[in-house]
Amino acid sequence: MKKTLFSFFILSIIFFSSCRKKFDTVPSKGDFSVNIDTLLMDSVFTNIASRTYNFKIYNNSNKDIYIQKIFLEKGDQSFYRLNIDGTPGKVFENVMIHANDSIFVFVEVTADITQLPDPVYEEKLFIQDEEVTDYVLLTSFIKDADFYYPERFPNGSRDSLTLYTDPQTGETQKIAGFFLPDNTTFTADKPIVVYGHMAVPPGKTLSIEQGAHLYFHFNSGLIVWENASLKVNGVRGNEVIFEDDRMEPDFENKPGMWNYIWLREGSINNEINYAIIKNANIGLEVFPSGNNNPALIIKNTQIYNHSLVGIYGIAAKIKAENLVLNNFGINAVRLQLGGNYDFKHCTITNFGNGIRNEDKASFYASNFFDANEEQIRYVNDLEQLNISNSIIYGNSSIEYYIEKDDGAVFNYQIKNTLIKFDDPQHHFTGIAELDFTDTNHYQSILKNQYPEFEDYNKNKMAIGDTSPCINQGDINTALQVPLDILEKDRTLSPDLGAYQHITF
């Protein structure tokens, strides 16, 4: 009998509590507010899910309330998706909010551009109680695009590229990717979105015309194969852009969001003019060409925000003019195992985060490569390293560092260049290659003077009208590159770097 009474007592408490909770939750009568009136969502590609956005609905009263209805204007036909307190859907009824509390409304979108009258996709999200109907305007921009990705086969595997085959064991090194089918031209008509590694096949050319925009997904990249070529044909104000596919402002300058542009050994006649390359691991990885021409001729190009290196040359031949680099985890320019390099009117800087020692200087060059796993040093002639009318700077003390192995040729000529090399403790005294008084290799060098950049935190690397770089350039070099990166004439009084000075 006592057990029965006890059970009845417990059940009564549970029943009373649940009734009391329901009794205390009353319908909202204008008691709510919203912290925004418009939810601006970033651009998103057609049929690709956006990131998750959110806003809050507040209960402004001292009692628990429930919102009669929260729903999307287009109901089940909406491309927007909601999640409220962990429950997904497009229509919600009797949504409770505790007294003086709030709830999150999470919003995502995946839209098909072919079903929209306009790429600006707007829709109202209504919030309705017994007296008030409010709404939040959801706004997103849906971009049409052409998508390139590895083929998926019936067995579930994906297409891949064979990077290397061991001649002794036959073992292969593969990477997720695919070859373009033939000679290919990308234009500004639609953005190009790449998943995996897109490769230019042997004997073919990828031409990219002015205004084209290539977006690379995480762990993706562009590879140019043996006897293949890359031609990037941007113009000032209508550059070709290579970047990651995350278009939210938080990712605008985030490094390491895709892999690289890799000019493999044997690729030929690669040319890049007026491009912007940003947010990868390595901007350009350049190997020896398949002919006597430079593996890469690069002009009027900006390279920013890479997690490792901006340009990585390995026994390569590179000709660069009006090149601007900034913000890297290691080097802006890293040249190893010799090669042949010519830099004219380049701004080579690194204001990236982190502590960097001398081999992580903005500019680094050597005629060797240490294979640490094999404990072998490979050496190769540095046939020529020419740097003229340039700026080499950054936020470390040593931003220019070259190393020589006596087992190979090491030819270099640096002139009319501002170099940051601050060595007050004389750690590098006695290294012949770093003796800036040696006029056989260094001429008209400015050391450790701040170039007066417009705003290096925002990659605005133009120099101001009181810069020490003004009128310090060699006229003969300037005549070879008569216009700066903004197409301003520099032949009368050439400044150092890619930019003639401006007034901020």
Side-chain angles (χ1 to χ4, degrees), residues 31-65:
D31 298 311
F32 72 89
S33 63
V34 185
N35 66 330
I36 59 171
D37 55 16
T38 302
L39 183 63
L40 294 172
M41 304 173 72
D42 299 307
S43 299
V44 64
F45 293 114
T46 182
N47 294 316
I48 299 296
S50 72
R51 71 178 178 95
T52 303
Y53 298 78
N54 67 76
F55 64 90
K56 282 185 175 183
I57 304 174
Y58 291 90
N59 177 0
N60 300 318
S61 72
N62 294 320
K63 53 185 178 289
D64 294 348
I65 63 171

Side-chain angles (χ1 to χ4, degrees), residues 52-269:
T52 303
Y53 298 78
N54 67 76
F55 64 90
K56 282 185 175 183
I57 304 174
Y58 291 90
N59 177 0
N60 300 318
S61 72
N62 294 320
K63 53 185 178 289
D64 294 348
I65 63 171
Y66 62 84
I67 305 295
Q68 185 178 8
K69 193 174 184 181
I70 302 173
F71 61 99
L72 288 161
E73 180 180 8
K74 297 181 181 179
D76 289 339
Q77 302 305 310
S78 174
F79 288 127
Y80 289 104
R81 301 183 301 279
L82 308 179
N83 189 301
I84 300 177
D85 276 354
T87 302
K90 297 192 176 184
V91 178
F92 299 80
E93 296 182 348
N94 300 327
V95 179
M96 191 185 83
I97 310 177
H98 290 296
N100 300 307
D101 202 353
S102 62
I103 59 170
F104 277 104
V105 177
F106 296 96
V107 185
E108 296 177 348
V109 64
T110 305
D112 184 348
I113 189 70
T114 63
Q115 298 183 37
L116 294 174
D118 191 286
V120 179
Y121 174 40
E122 295 186 328
E123 186 175 340
K124 293 177 180 177
L125 172 56
F126 289 102
I127 306 161
Q128 176 182 303
D129 70 6
E130 289 193 350
E131 293 187 358
V132 175
T133 298
D134 198 357
Y135 69 85
V136 173
L137 182 64
L138 308 179
T139 302
S140 55
F141 184 82
I142 312 302
K143 284 190 173 185
D144 198 4
D146 286 332
F147 293 86
Y148 289 79
Y149 46 85
E151 182 181 357
R152 182 183 289 276
F153 301 115
N155 64 1
S157 65
R158 287 185 180 273
D159 199 2
S160 62
L161 300 167
T162 300
L163 300 179
Y164 174 74
T165 301
D166 190 306
Q168 297 181 344
T169 66
E171 294 182 358
T172 59
Q173 180 184 358
K174 294 180 178 290
I175 193 171
F178 58 96
F179 280 114
L180 291 167
D182 205 336
N183 292 318
T184 303
T185 299
F186 292 150
T187 69
D189 291 346
K190 287 185 182 181
I192 304 298
V193 183
V194 179
Y195 286 76
H197 296 83
M198 179 172 67
V200 186
K204 304 300 181 181
T205 298
L206 171 60
S207 299
I208 307 178
E209 300 306 314
Q210 63 184 57
H213 204 144
L214 281 73
Y215 296 89
F216 292 85
H217 194 61
F218 184 75
N219 202 26
S220 298
L222 172 62
I223 304 175
V224 182
W225 228 260
E226 182 180 1
N227 292 321
S229 300
L230 172 66
K231 305 287 187 182
V232 177
N233 306 309
V235 298
R236 183 175 69 86
N238 212 13
E239 293 84 358
V240 173
I241 301 176
F242 301 83
E243 64 174 319
D244 63 289
D245 65 348
R246 296 295 298 268
M247 290 182 284
E248 306 95 306
D250 290 347
F251 291 86
E252 175 68 21
N253 296 315
K254 191 174 180 63
M257 298 302 296
W258 55 290
N259 283 348
Y260 45 61
I261 299 172
W262 179 8
L263 309 181
R264 279 174 60 97
E265 183 173 359
S267 70
I268 57 173
N269 303 330

Side-chain angles (χ1 to χ4, degrees), residues 397-398 421-429 447-448:
S397 299
I398 306 298
F421 190 91
D422 189 9
D423 182 28
Q425 303 301 318
H426 306 290
H427 292 302
F428 304 100
T429 299
K447 281 182 63 182
N448 303 327

Side-chain angles (χ1 to χ4, degrees), residues 343-396:
F343 294 87
K344 292 184 176 72
H345 280 289
C346 294
T347 300
I348 301 169
T349 66
N350 189 1
F351 287 91
N353 296 326
I355 298 173
R356 296 178 288 112
N357 56 21
E358 61 273 9
D359 72 341
K360 295 180 176 61
S362 287
F363 185 93
Y364 172 86
S366 73
N367 62 350
F368 61 86
F369 180 85
D370 290 327
N372 293 327
E373 292 182 1
E374 305 169 20
Q375 296 184 336
I376 296 175
R377 169 171 285 190
Y378 298 92
V379 297
N380 183 55
D381 290 346
L382 181 64
E383 297 172 0
Q384 191 61 60
L385 169 62
N386 290 323
I387 304 174
S388 55
N389 288 15
S390 294
I391 298 171
I392 301 174
Y393 204 83
N395 54 8
S396 287

